Amino acid sequence: MNIAIFVSGSGTNCENLIKYFADSERVNIALVVSNKSDAQALERAERLGVPAAVTPKADLNDPDVMLPLLKRYDIGFIVLAGWLPLIPNFLIEAYPHKIINIHPALLPKYGGKGMWGHHVHEAVKAAGETETGMTVHWVTPVCDAGEIIAQFRVALSPDDTVEDIAEKEHQLEMIHFPKVVEDVINSL
């Protein structure tokens, strides 16, 4: 199955997924899509030999741009890995139950508009949480509201800084996200 990874930032999860599936007979990372032309993820994809495309907001929201792009690479599944824009409804309809997202918190807490990256970790710290984690969920038209596929937790200490929280959560992503993606695809 050909997969597209949608990413807005540095692309550590993107690189991790590309490397994880490099020798897979079932999964091929066929395309990396970013909404930002300066995303470091694009450099990672190029270095690892994966085609990449930049889709600014106008392109992302245009079915006449996005659907042919995904068709050209025979994309059967989409993984959001640090992707910030909302996925337009036409993509959700074109890929029913075939788009998943990773979120840096234990949803339903700390989800929704504006809750990404350091904003999430700052909110976790401010609330005095004793644990945090990552959530993988199905993408729906409502931000971070899709059915939860998997969650992984890590304990927090009152002394943890926002950076410590971010690092602990990121380590969970590096360990667990590729296997969750693999399990979901194998269940299709």
PDB file of all heavy atoms in Angstrom, residues 115-136:
ATOM      1  N   MET A 115      -4.060  23.603  19.542  1.00  0.00           N
ATOM      2  CA  MET A 115      -3.371  22.696  20.460  1.00  0.00           C
ATOM      3  C   MET A 115      -2.444  21.774  19.671  1.00  0.00           C
ATOM      4  O   MET A 115      -2.838  20.709  19.215  1.00  0.00           O
ATOM      5  CB  MET A 115      -4.384  21.893  21.284  1.00  0.00           C
ATOM      6  CG  MET A 115      -5.188  22.756  22.243  1.00  0.00           C
ATOM      7  SD  MET A 115      -4.160  23.749  23.362  1.00  0.00           S
ATOM      8  CE  MET A 115      -3.559  22.522  24.481  1.00  0.00           C
ATOM      9  N   TRP A 116      -1.230  22.238  19.494  1.00  0.00           N
ATOM     10  CA  TRP A 116      -0.205  21.476  18.800  1.00  0.00           C
ATOM     11  C   TRP A 116       1.145  21.817  19.424  1.00  0.00           C
ATOM     12  O   TRP A 116       1.306  22.868  20.051  1.00  0.00           O
ATOM     13  CB  TRP A 116      -0.196  21.772  17.293  1.00  0.00           C
ATOM     14  CG  TRP A 116      -0.057  23.230  16.950  1.00  0.00           C
ATOM     15  CD1 TRP A 116      -1.058  24.138  16.822  1.00  0.00           C
ATOM     16  CD2 TRP A 116       1.164  23.953  16.748  1.00  0.00           C
ATOM     17  NE1 TRP A 116      -0.546  25.385  16.543  1.00  0.00           N
ATOM     18  CE2 TRP A 116       0.824  25.294  16.495  1.00  0.00           C
ATOM     19  CE3 TRP A 116       2.501  23.585  16.759  1.00  0.00           C
ATOM     20  CZ2 TRP A 116       1.782  26.276  16.251  1.00  0.00           C
ATOM     21  CZ3 TRP A 116       3.455  24.569  16.502  1.00  0.00           C
ATOM     22  CH2 TRP A 116       3.083  25.903  16.246  1.00  0.00           C
ATOM     23  N   GLY A 117       2.090  20.898  19.289  1.00  0.00           N
ATOM     24  CA  GLY A 117       3.457  21.131  19.741  1.00  0.00           C
ATOM     25  C   GLY A 117       3.572  21.700  21.129  1.00  0.00           C
ATOM     26  O   GLY A 117       2.951  21.213  22.077  1.00  0.00           O
ATOM     27  N   HIS A 118       4.361  22.747  21.263  1.00  0.00           N
ATOM     28  CA  HIS A 118       4.656  23.315  22.576  1.00  0.00           C
ATOM     29  C   HIS A 118       3.406  23.830  23.285  1.00  0.00           C
ATOM     30  O   HIS A 118       3.359  23.841  24.517  1.00  0.00           O
ATOM     31  CB  HIS A 118       5.727  24.407  22.475  1.00  0.00           C
ATOM     32  CG  HIS A 118       5.268  25.644  21.763  1.00  0.00           C
ATOM     33  ND1 HIS A 118       4.726  26.712  22.425  1.00  0.00           N
ATOM     34  CD2 HIS A 118       5.253  25.957  20.446  1.00  0.00           C
ATOM     35  CE1 HIS A 118       4.402  27.654  21.539  1.00  0.00           C
ATOM     36  NE2 HIS A 118       4.712  27.213  20.329  1.00  0.00           N
ATOM     37  N   HIS A 119       2.375  24.212  22.529  1.00  0.00           N
ATOM     38  CA  HIS A 119       1.130  24.677  23.154  1.00  0.00           C
ATOM     39  C   HIS A 119       0.528  23.566  24.007  1.00  0.00           C
ATOM     40  O   HIS A 119       0.023  23.828  25.107  1.00  0.00           O
ATOM     41  CB  HIS A 119       0.110  25.119  22.095  1.00  0.00           C
ATOM     42  CG  HIS A 119       0.599  26.213  21.210  1.00  0.00           C
ATOM     43  ND1 HIS A 119       0.786  27.498  21.641  1.00  0.00           N
ATOM     44  CD2 HIS A 119       0.962  26.191  19.898  1.00  0.00           C
ATOM     45  CE1 HIS A 119       1.241  28.245  20.640  1.00  0.00           C
ATOM     46  NE2 HIS A 119       1.358  27.472  19.571  1.00  0.00           N
ATOM     47  N   VAL A 120       0.571  22.351  23.505  1.00  0.00           N
ATOM     48  CA  VAL A 120       0.052  21.205  24.247  1.00  0.00           C
ATOM     49  C   VAL A 120       0.894  20.970  25.498  1.00  0.00           C
ATOM     50  O   VAL A 120       0.360  20.830  26.606  1.00  0.00           O
ATOM     51  CB  VAL A 120       0.038  19.936  23.368  1.00  0.00           C
ATOM     52  CG1 VAL A 120      -0.321  18.705  24.184  1.00  0.00           C
ATOM     53  CG2 VAL A 120      -0.926  20.101  22.199  1.00  0.00           C
ATOM     54  N   HIS A 121       2.203  20.944  25.334  1.00  0.00           N
ATOM     55  CA  HIS A 121       3.080  20.646  26.468  1.00  0.00           C
ATOM     56  C   HIS A 121       2.997  21.741  27.535  1.00  0.00           C
ATOM     57  O   HIS A 121       3.048  21.433  28.736  1.00  0.00           O
ATOM     58  CB  HIS A 121       4.515  20.445  25.982  1.00  0.00           C
ATOM     59  CG  HIS A 121       4.622  19.410  24.906  1.00  0.00           C
ATOM     60  ND1 HIS A 121       4.109  18.129  25.042  1.00  0.00           N
ATOM     61  CD2 HIS A 121       5.149  19.460  23.653  1.00  0.00           C
ATOM     62  CE1 HIS A 121       4.328  17.450  23.937  1.00  0.00           C
ATOM     63  NE2 HIS A 121       4.948  18.243  23.074  1.00  0.00           N
ATOM     64  N   GLU A 122       2.849  22.988  27.126  1.00  0.00           N
ATOM     65  CA  GLU A 122       2.659  24.085  28.090  1.00  0.00           C
ATOM     66  C   GLU A 122       1.360  23.904  28.868  1.00  0.00           C
ATOM     67  O   GLU A 122       1.315  24.134  30.082  1.00  0.00           O
ATOM     68  CB  GLU A 122       2.656  25.435  27.361  1.00  0.00           C
ATOM     69  CG  GLU A 122       4.024  25.835  26.848  1.00  0.00           C
ATOM     70  CD  GLU A 122       3.989  27.021  25.890  1.00  0.00           C
ATOM     71  OE1 GLU A 122       2.890  27.502  25.520  1.00  0.00           O
ATOM     72  OE2 GLU A 122       5.087  27.459  25.484  1.00  0.00           O
ATOM     73  N   ALA A 123       0.300  23.482  28.180  1.00  0.00           N
ATOM     74  CA  ALA A 123      -0.983  23.268  28.849  1.00  0.00           C
ATOM     75  C   ALA A 123      -0.906  22.096  29.829  1.00  0.00           C
ATOM     76  O   ALA A 123      -1.470  22.163  30.936  1.00  0.00           O
ATOM     77  CB  ALA A 123      -2.083  23.025  27.813  1.00  0.00           C
ATOM     78  N   VAL A 124      -0.208  21.042  29.451  1.00  0.00           N
ATOM     79  CA  VAL A 124      -0.025  19.884  30.333  1.00  0.00           C
ATOM     80  C   VAL A 124       0.728  20.314  31.596  1.00  0.00           C
ATOM     81  O   VAL A 124       0.340  19.965  32.719  1.00  0.00           O
ATOM     82  CB  VAL A 124       0.721  18.747  29.587  1.00  0.00           C
ATOM     83  CG1 VAL A 124       1.214  17.679  30.544  1.00  0.00           C
ATOM     84  CG2 VAL A 124      -0.174  18.143  28.511  1.00  0.00           C
ATOM     85  N   LYS A 125       1.792  21.094  31.425  1.00  0.00           N
ATOM     86  CA  LYS A 125       2.579  21.596  32.562  1.00  0.00           C
ATOM     87  C   LYS A 125       1.733  22.499  33.447  1.00  0.00           C
ATOM     88  O   LYS A 125       1.715  22.346  34.671  1.00  0.00           O
ATOM     89  CB  LYS A 125       3.818  22.343  32.045  1.00  0.00           C
ATOM     90  CG  LYS A 125       4.655  23.014  33.110  1.00  0.00           C
ATOM     91  CD  LYS A 125       5.363  22.025  33.984  1.00  0.00           C
ATOM     92  CE  LYS A 125       6.306  22.731  34.967  1.00  0.00           C
ATOM     93  NZ  LYS A 125       6.832  21.804  35.967  1.00  0.00           N
ATOM     94  N   ALA A 126       1.012  23.440  32.837  1.00  0.00           N
ATOM     95  CA  ALA A 126       0.199  24.391  33.601  1.00  0.00           C
ATOM     96  C   ALA A 126      -0.889  23.686  34.414  1.00  0.00           C
ATOM     97  O   ALA A 126      -1.252  24.144  35.504  1.00  0.00           O
ATOM     98  CB  ALA A 126      -0.427  25.422  32.664  1.00  0.00           C
ATOM     99  N   ALA A 127      -1.391  22.582  33.915  1.00  0.00           N
ATOM    100  CA  ALA A 127      -2.447  21.850  34.613  1.00  0.00           C
ATOM    101  C   ALA A 127      -1.897  20.948  35.715  1.00  0.00           C
ATOM    102  O   ALA A 127      -2.675  20.371  36.483  1.00  0.00           O
ATOM    103  CB  ALA A 127      -3.246  21.019  33.615  1.00  0.00           C
ATOM    104  N   GLY A 128      -0.579  20.814  35.789  1.00  0.00           N
ATOM    105  CA  GLY A 128       0.021  19.974  36.817  1.00  0.00           C
ATOM    106  C   GLY A 128      -0.243  18.485  36.612  1.00  0.00           C
ATOM    107  O   GLY A 128      -0.306  17.719  37.576  1.00  0.00           O
ATOM    108  N   GLU A 129      -0.356  18.083  35.362  1.00  0.00           N
ATOM    109  CA  GLU A 129      -0.619  16.668  35.069  1.00  0.00           C
ATOM    110  C   GLU A 129       0.521  15.781  35.591  1.00  0.00           C
ATOM    111  O   GLU A 129       1.683  16.188  35.596  1.00  0.00           O
ATOM    112  CB  GLU A 129      -0.772  16.456  33.561  1.00  0.00           C
ATOM    113  CG  GLU A 129      -1.953  17.156  32.942  1.00  0.00           C
ATOM    114  CD  GLU A 129      -3.287  16.482  33.242  1.00  0.00           C
ATOM    115  OE1 GLU A 129      -3.317  15.400  33.863  1.00  0.00           O
ATOM    116  OE2 GLU A 129      -4.317  17.056  32.836  1.00  0.00           O
ATOM    117  N   THR A 130       0.163  14.573  36.005  1.00  0.00           N
ATOM    118  CA  THR A 130       1.155  13.614  36.481  1.00  0.00           C
ATOM    119  C   THR A 130       1.580  12.648  35.379  1.00  0.00           C
ATOM    120  O   THR A 130       2.469  11.824  35.583  1.00  0.00           O
ATOM    121  CB  THR A 130       0.610  12.806  37.672  1.00  0.00           C
ATOM    122  OG1 THR A 130      -0.574  12.125  37.258  1.00  0.00           O
ATOM    123  CG2 THR A 130       0.317  13.728  38.846  1.00  0.00           C
ATOM    124  N   GLU A 131       0.921  12.745  34.223  1.00  0.00           N
ATOM    125  CA  GLU A 131       1.307  11.948  33.068  1.00  0.00           C
ATOM    126  C   GLU A 131       0.907  12.691  31.800  1.00  0.00           C
ATOM    127  O   GLU A 131       0.057  13.577  31.812  1.00  0.00           O
ATOM    128  CB  GLU A 131       0.657  10.563  33.094  1.00  0.00           C
ATOM    129  CG  GLU A 131      -0.835  10.568  32.917  1.00  0.00           C
ATOM    130  CD  GLU A 131      -1.435   9.160  32.886  1.00  0.00           C
ATOM    131  OE1 GLU A 131      -0.711   8.162  33.011  1.00  0.00           O
ATOM    132  OE2 GLU A 131      -2.661   9.082  32.716  1.00  0.00           O
ATOM    133  N   THR A 132       1.570  12.307  30.729  1.00  0.00           N
ATOM    134  CA  THR A 132       1.195  12.778  29.401  1.00  0.00           C
ATOM    135  C   THR A 132       1.370  11.599  28.465  1.00  0.00           C
ATOM    136  O   THR A 132       1.627  10.485  28.901  1.00  0.00           O
ATOM    137  CB  THR A 132       2.022  14.003  28.950  1.00  0.00           C
ATOM    138  OG1 THR A 132       1.415  14.569  27.788  1.00  0.00           O
ATOM    139  CG2 THR A 132       3.473  13.654  28.655  1.00  0.00           C
ATOM    140  N   GLY A 133       1.236  11.866  27.199  1.00  0.00           N
ATOM    141  CA  GLY A 133       1.405  10.770  26.263  1.00  0.00           C
ATOM    142  C   GLY A 133       1.080  11.191  24.859  1.00  0.00           C
ATOM    143  O   GLY A 133       0.998  12.378  24.542  1.00  0.00           O
ATOM    144  N   MET A 134       0.905  10.186  24.026  1.00  0.00           N
ATOM    145  CA  MET A 134       0.577  10.433  22.626  1.00  0.00           C
ATOM    146  C   MET A 134      -0.683   9.664  22.289  1.00  0.00           C
ATOM    147  O   MET A 134      -0.978   8.631  22.877  1.00  0.00           O
ATOM    148  CB  MET A 134       1.711   9.986  21.714  1.00  0.00           C
ATOM    149  CG  MET A 134       2.036   8.513  21.838  1.00  0.00           C
ATOM    150  SD  MET A 134       3.107   7.869  20.547  1.00  0.00           S
ATOM    151  CE  MET A 134       1.941   7.397  19.291  1.00  0.00           C
ATOM    152  N   THR A 135      -1.403  10.203  21.318  1.00  0.00           N
ATOM    153  CA  THR A 135      -2.624   9.568  20.847  1.00  0.00           C
ATOM    154  C   THR A 135      -2.550   9.455  19.329  1.00  0.00           C
ATOM    155  O   THR A 135      -2.149  10.405  18.653  1.00  0.00           O
ATOM    156  CB  THR A 135      -3.863  10.416  21.225  1.00  0.00           C
ATOM    157  OG1 THR A 135      -3.906  10.570  22.646  1.00  0.00           O
ATOM    158  CG2 THR A 135      -5.148   9.770  20.738  1.00  0.00           C
ATOM    159  N   VAL A 136      -2.949   8.314  18.809  1.00  0.00           N
ATOM    160  CA  VAL A 136      -3.151   8.144  17.371  1.00  0.00           C
ATOM    161  C   VAL A 136      -4.648   7.974  17.184  1.00  0.00           C
ATOM    162  O   VAL A 136      -5.279   7.181  17.894  1.00  0.00           O
ATOM    163  CB  VAL A 136      -2.390   6.924  16.816  1.00  0.00           C
ATOM    164  CG1 VAL A 136      -2.626   6.783  15.314  1.00  0.00           C
ATOM    165  CG2 VAL A 136      -0.898   7.032  17.124  1.00  0.00           C
TER     166      VAL A 136
END
